[in-house]
Amino acid sequence: MSTQAAGASFVRSELLPDRPPPANLVGIFPLLRERLFSNWLNIALTLMSLAIIVLVVPPLVRFLFIDAVWTGTSRDACVSSSGACWPFIQAKIGQFIYGFYPAELYWRPNLVFIAGALLVLPLLIPAAPLKKLNAILFLGVYPFFAFVILNGGNLDLRRFLIGRFVRLDGLPLVGEVAGLKLVFWLDFLLSGTALLAVAIIASAIIGASARAVAKTLLLVLGCIALALLAVDFDFGLQPVGTRSWGGLLVTLVVAITGIVASLPLGILLALGRRSEMPIVRFASVVFIEFWRGVPLVTVLFFATYMLPFFLPAGVNFDGLLRALIGVTLFSAAYMAEVIRGGLQAIPKGQYEGAASLGLGYWQTMNRIVLPQALVIVIPGIVNSFIALFKDTTLVLIVSIFDLLGQLRAAFSDPNWSSPTTLFTGFAFAGIVYFIFCAGMSRYALYLERRAAHGSR
Amino acid sequence: MASVQPPRVSLVRNPRVRSLVVQVVLLAALVGLGWWLVNNARVNLAAQGTATGFGFLQTTAGFGITQTLIDYSESSSYGRAFLVGLTNTLLISGIGIVLATILGFAVGIARLSSNWLLARVAGTYVEVIRNLPLLFQILFWYLAVLAALPGPRQSYSLLDLAFLNARGLFVPRLLFEPGSAVVGYAFLIALGISVLLHFFARRQKMRSGVSFPAGILSAIILIAFPLVAFIAMGAPIGIELPELQGFNFRGGTRVNPEFVALLVALVTYTAAFIGENVRAGILAIHKGQSEAALSLGMRKGTSLRLVIIPQALRVITPPLTNQYLNLTKNSSLAVAVGYPDLFAVFAGTTLNQTGQAIEIIAMTMAVYLTISLATSFLMNLYNRRMALVER
């Protein structure tokens, strides 16, 4: 050791001279000097930063406020100005928010926005009560509510399960009550009863509790029935097809559906990836790595152009629904990895504790592991929501006009073509995206800090 | 609850039976689903009468591509167009990764700077860029910034070497004449020698503690070897500068505005994320490490180079690789501005012309998937080598 260090240049041979006493850092000027002008490099960096600020900030302020045109009805107001053309935004704001949704029906998207905000805000505030009910309402009820209000509901449901194999149309039950086809609901009743019977017989054979199985199945069937009833019932709303949706509405619909739908799928995949059963694990890994390995654009193309080939002839989805399927599969893979992080953070003692209490796999997961893991990963989920919110812009490549798509469409309006229209549009959309994303990332940060405080 | 143990454990409660049943059911469901999908596709394709298979790769493409790195013309095949797209994707990803790494490290270090103003400027940059969608930024650069550039006569010039205008970026072009290969070989030889020198210097230092000035020596070799070859071969490599002639530029290389917009957006976007990774990596190194290095008498630069950065790299590398992959995947957004990358050429134009969605989208996905999986495989190898050996 000592022989090696003898000739080495990094070992000091004499003591350092005493350092000067620390500069008095109290007061603004010494602080400034220390932070900005302590040596030549520091001075150069300060000057460089100042140059960047001077290059960016004053022109931006001039463009957005000082030189901006605030009132007007057409391009004539803006064509001679070098600032932002805000009347352009005023004229197009409906298109940016609702797309081509009929203007007299704006109350419907507005209602959905308000209901969503009322459900999300208490969910996001940690101190707010009734978290479970709130989550059920937002994740379970709200999607159907939003669908019915936006689309108009009253779907033309004809066949459930049995009806696909047996023709029930021949029965004298062709009637229709409030938009509900009786044939469909008869089909539903028959199919439900058949499923129940099969489940009870199967559980009797393998020796499980038939009662518990029947209870669970009835609950599931009941939920499905309620959901179908909601979308099938005729509320007297004028139907508005998804082709007319657009703007911020589509951005929010895609992002929120993607996150909400990918959550259960992501949980299953994350559990599958950590499962001890090799086939389950392998299938989960393949699914996750496949979707994580390809760009979202290819996924959207896959959902839009390739998926129809793989479905039975005659089954044709709506374009937005196809994009939603692609987005959900894609974000489920990312969600699974976020949740896996949470699962891995749960100490082994929790699993062992659950096992020693005699809990089975699903009991352990539902009552012990997932409640803890999901709380840990909330910031991660918010972050993937931000990523998805930004990625939503990609749907414009498959001809669905979200906020960015509407912006692009608005640029081609000759009524508003002026030298500053483009910059104005980008400034507006940029501010909207920034407010949403920065707000959410602040929230994720707040949650992380809060969790860090709790664990201390 | 009964107080006596049940005499027989039901089959449902037997973990081995359960796991077997679950796996068999899952496997059956997956196989069934796969069969169903394939069967549907077969029926649908037969009904539509579209051609299937990869035969279309040999047929003539019949469309032009604005930027080609390999020989390509309208009479080339779709397979050739695929290769052109692939090379264009690799080109923009490669250049993007290099530039994003440089900018990203600069931003990450700037955010940790003791200079308050610089840290704030870097922080604002990261905050703004990360909170705007990438496609928004690409379109902004393409539609707003580049389209607003002046025509060729009023182009912005950099020392009269490179010119930027609405038609793109004009940069000098290297002209290779016969004999330039020798210069290349000379450089390769010099590179080989300097690698050996470093290896030797390291071993020497480990064994005896004596430093060997490998850095300076290899720098000299790296410059001198190609220079000698260059002069000996009679200056075979020339530079052609772009020149304004009439209404456009002649000579040099024109870089499409699409490429410039996409590159700028990808680099600035990815750099913001890399900056955050770098910052987190450096912050993850305990303060005691740098204090210990300083108390051993290392200078600040030495401690950074020998103590902090090697440890920080261990933390930075995995997310950095992820960002590289993201950049490569995000380059598929080229389709929005019309840069002919793999996705735009193949899943865009070729798909439109042939209508063979299944083959084309599967091939496109396979390319990205291969890049991703190969990178993460290499990453895992690297991680295994670099991971702390815990005892």
Side-chain angles (χ1 to χ4, degrees):
Chain A
M1 182 72 198
S2 59
T3 49
Q4 245 189 36
S9 59
F10 50 83
V11 178
R12 280 194 191 282
S13 50
E14 70 278 354
L15 284 175
L16 283 171
D18 287 349
R19 287 189 173 184
N24 184 8
L25 294 185
V26 186
I28 185 102
F29 287 108
L31 198 71
L32 272 184
R33 201 178 59 207
E34 175 65 22
R35 288 247 175 121
L36 300 176
F37 305 107
S38 59
N39 57 40
W40 285 111
L41 177 70
N42 215 347
I43 291 174
L45 291 176
T46 305
L47 290 179
M48 196 184 80
S49 313
L50 275 178
I52 295 176
I53 293 173
V54 168
L55 274 177
V56 173
V57 176
L60 204 63
V61 171
R62 276 232 305 280
F63 177 80
L64 290 180
F65 303 107
I66 300 171
D67 291 347
V69 179
W70 298 90
T71 51
T73 49
S74 74
R75 66 185 289 267
D76 304 329
C78 306
V79 80
S80 57
S81 146
S82 64
C85 179
W86 295 123
F88 166 67
I89 302 297
Q90 278 162 23
K92 299 279 178 192
I93 189 84
Q95 197 183 325
F96 290 156
I97 297 181
Y98 309 102
F100 304 113
Y101 211 89
E104 68 277 10
L105 297 178
Y106 278 174
W107 64 271
R108 277 158 59 173
N110 286 341
L111 183 64
V112 170
F113 287 151
I114 292 169
L118 285 181
L119 285 175
V120 164
L121 284 179
L123 203 57
L124 295 184
I125 300 168
L130 298 174
K131 277 275 171 305
K132 199 168 175 185
L133 177 70
N134 197 339
I136 291 175
L137 280 179
F138 180 66
L139 300 176
V141 179
Y142 179 69
F144 296 99
F145 168 78
F147 173 77
V148 170
I149 298 291
L150 288 176
N151 186 62
N154 195 10
L155 290 185
D156 190 21
L157 299 178
R158 285 160 190 279
R159 296 182 299 176
F160 188 59
L161 288 181
I162 294 182
R164 292 179 192 278
F165 306 106
V166 186
R167 285 188 64 88
L168 295 173
D169 307 20
L171 293 173
L173 274 162
V174 281
E176 192 177 312
V177 182
L180 306 178
K181 291 227 169 22
L182 291 180
V183 173
F184 175 81
W185 289 96
L186 176 72
D187 184 358
F188 186 83
L189 262 179
L190 287 177
S191 310
T193 319
L195 277 178
L196 208 58
V198 169
I200 288 172
I201 292 170
S203 54
I205 292 173
I206 54 175
S209 152
R211 220 190 153 125
V213 171
K215 218 168 123 188
T216 319
L217 193 62
L218 271 179
L219 192 70
V220 171
L221 283 172
C223 289
I224 294 177
L226 277 179
L228 288 174
L229 195 63
V231 297
D232 197 17
F233 191 78
D234 184 6
F235 291 94
L237 293 167
Q238 184 190 331
V240 180
T242 55
R243 275 172 193 285
S244 325
W245 305 11
L248 197 59
L249 176 65
V250 158
T251 302
L252 288 171
V253 163
V254 175
I256 292 179
T257 315
I259 277 297
V260 170
S262 67
L263 198 59
L265 199 52
I267 292 175
L268 282 182
L269 285 168
L271 291 178
R273 193 165 185 167
R274 282 171 62 78
S275 162
E276 282 165 6
M277 297 180 251
I279 295 179
V280 175
R281 195 167 58 229
F282 181 73
S284 308
V285 169
V286 168
F287 184 92
I288 294 172
E289 294 306 328
F290 176 77
W291 295 111
R292 271 161 42 95
V294 295
L296 181 55
V297 203
T298 57
V299 176
L300 288 173
F301 260 57
F302 161 81
T304 309
Y305 299 117
M306 200 165 152
L307 199 58
F309 281 111
F310 287 116
L311 297 173
V315 176
N316 203 6
F317 286 150
D318 172 87
L320 183 64
L321 184 58
R322 273 185 278 183
L324 281 176
I325 292 174
V327 166
T328 302
L329 292 176
F330 183 77
S331 73
Y334 284 84
M335 188 64 86
E337 289 299 274
V338 171
I339 291 170
R340 185 163 71 109
L343 291 178
Q344 280 173 343
I346 305 299
K348 214 178 165 198
Q350 298 286 326
Y351 293 90
E352 290 167 348
S356 67
L357 283 175
L359 299 186
Y361 179 81
W362 288 109
Q363 282 171 318
T364 309
M365 289 303 157
N366 280 333
R367 297 184 184 278
I368 311 290
V369 176
L370 281 176
Q372 300 182 66
L374 289 181
V375 168
I376 297 178
V377 297
I378 289 176
I381 293 177
V382 175
N383 280 331
S384 25
F385 182 73
I386 299 173
L388 188 62
F389 185 81
K390 290 191 290 172
D391 282 345
T392 304
T393 49
L394 268 58
V395 295
L396 91 83
I397 289 172
V398 288
S399 312
I400 295 169
F401 291 96
D402 72 324
L403 178 56
L404 196 58
Q406 292 293 350
L407 188 71
R408 235 186 144 175
F411 288 152
S412 53
D413 183 352
N415 273 334
W416 286 100
S417 78
S418 78
T420 57
T421 304
L422 278 169
F423 284 99
T424 310
F426 278 114
F428 169 75
I431 291 168
V432 171
Y433 280 119
F434 184 82
I435 289 174
F436 270 95
C437 297
M440 287 184 289
S441 64
R442 276 292 134 85
Y443 175 71
L445 215 60
Y446 153 77
L447 281 182
E448 273 166 30
R449 295 228 174 96
R450 197 168 166 276
H453 276 288
S455 64
R456 238 189 263 160
Chain B
M1 281 259 167
S3 56
V4 254
Q5 286 291 314
R8 184 178 72 94
V9 179
S10 88
L11 276 180
V12 202
R13 304 269 170 234
N14 184 337
R16 287 181 64 183
V17 176
R18 258 186 151 179
S19 122
L20 200 69
V21 169
V22 167
Q23 297 191 64
V24 168
V25 168
L26 180 75
L27 197 64
L30 287 179
V31 170
L33 183 71
W35 180 84
W36 185 68
L37 294 176
V38 169
N39 192 44
N40 282 337
R42 208 164 39 204
V43 172
N44 286 333
L45 287 173
Q48 274 203 357
T50 10
T52 49
F54 293 93
F56 74 97
L57 288 174
Q58 267 87 47
T59 46
T60 308
F63 60 87
I65 298 179
T66 48
Q67 181 193 318
T68 55
L69 288 178
I70 54 176
D71 287 334
Y72 176 84
S73 70
E74 287 185 16
S75 54
S76 302
S77 64
Y78 285 122
R80 194 79 185 163
F82 172 79
L83 288 180
V84 171
L86 183 59
T87 48
N88 280 344
T89 289
L90 294 177
L91 177 76
I92 195 148
S93 312
I95 297 178
I97 282 172
V98 172
L99 295 180
T101 309
I102 296 170
L103 186 61
F105 270 79
V107 168
I109 292 167
R111 279 203 76 177
L112 291 173
S113 163
S114 58
N115 186 314
W116 181 82
L117 203 58
L118 183 68
R120 276 301 146 102
V121 168
T124 312
Y125 165 81
V126 170
E127 195 64 358
V128 170
I129 295 279
R130 286 211 313 171
N131 283 319
L132 294 176
L134 176 59
L135 187 60
F136 170 89
Q137 298 185 35
I138 293 174
L139 289 179
F140 172 75
W141 288 107
Y142 185 64
L143 294 176
V145 177
L146 288 185
L149 285 176
R153 283 170 162 263
Q154 287 88 34
S155 10
Y156 295 107
S157 85
L158 181 76
L159 303 170
D160 275 343
L161 287 172
F163 299 89
L164 183 66
N165 57 47
R167 295 198 190 166
L169 177 69
F170 294 83
V171 292
R173 183 168 59 171
L174 291 177
L175 293 178
F176 296 101
E177 279 157 34
S180 46
V182 180
V183 182
Y185 293 140
F187 178 74
L188 282 182
I189 292 168
L191 203 65
I193 292 177
S194 59
V195 167
L196 282 179
L197 262 179
H198 275 275
F199 185 70
F200 168 74
R202 204 185 156 83
R203 241 181 53 179
Q204 174 102 351
K205 178 113 185 186
M206 282 300 188
R207 207 184 275 158
S208 63
V210 180
S211 297
F212 181 76
I216 302 167
L217 261 177
S218 54
I220 294 172
I221 293 173
L222 277 176
I223 296 173
F225 270 50
L227 195 69
V228 169
F230 184 74
I231 295 168
M233 297 308 294
I237 302 179
I239 295 180
E240 188 189 63
L241 293 179
E243 246 181 296
L244 187 64
Q245 277 184 2
F247 292 103
N248 208 348
F249 279 89
R250 288 281 162 79
T253 302
R254 187 179 84 106
V255 184
N256 292 338
E258 292 83 29
F259 182 87
V260 178
L262 188 63
L263 186 68
V264 170
L266 283 176
V267 166
T268 50
Y269 186 78
T270 314
F273 287 87
I274 292 180
E276 284 301 272
N277 294 338
V278 169
R279 189 176 78 110
I282 293 176
L283 283 181
I285 305 308
H286 198 272
K287 215 178 165 197
Q289 295 285 328
S290 64
E291 287 171 351
L294 291 178
S295 71
L296 279 175
M298 288 190 189
R299 285 194 200 90
K300 194 131 193 199
T302 324
S303 79
L304 211 62
R305 193 162 54 84
L306 295 178
V307 178
I308 308 296
I309 289 185
Q311 297 187 69
L313 272 184
R314 186 181 289 144
V315 183
I316 295 171
T317 316
L320 190 65
T321 325
N322 247 336
Q323 292 305 330
Y324 290 168
L325 281 181
N326 280 345
L327 190 146
T328 310
K329 286 188 278 172
N330 284 336
S331 72
S332 59
L333 291 181
V335 71
V337 292
Y339 170 73
D341 80 322
L342 172 68
F343 189 80
V345 167
F346 207 58
T349 320
T350 308
L351 175 57
N352 261 339
Q353 293 197 355
T354 61
Q356 292 191 257
I358 296 181
E359 293 85 352
I360 286 174
I361 294 174
M363 271 176 82
T364 315
M365 281 182 152
V367 169
Y368 288 108
L369 204 57
T370 312
I371 296 176
S372 292
L373 291 182
T375 314
S376 37
F377 176 71
L378 290 177
M379 204 56 247
N380 285 343
L381 284 185
Y382 172 85
N383 262 346
R384 208 161 295 156
R385 239 196 78 184
M386 292 298 285
L388 280 177
V389 184
E390 287 186 20
R391 273 174 276 243

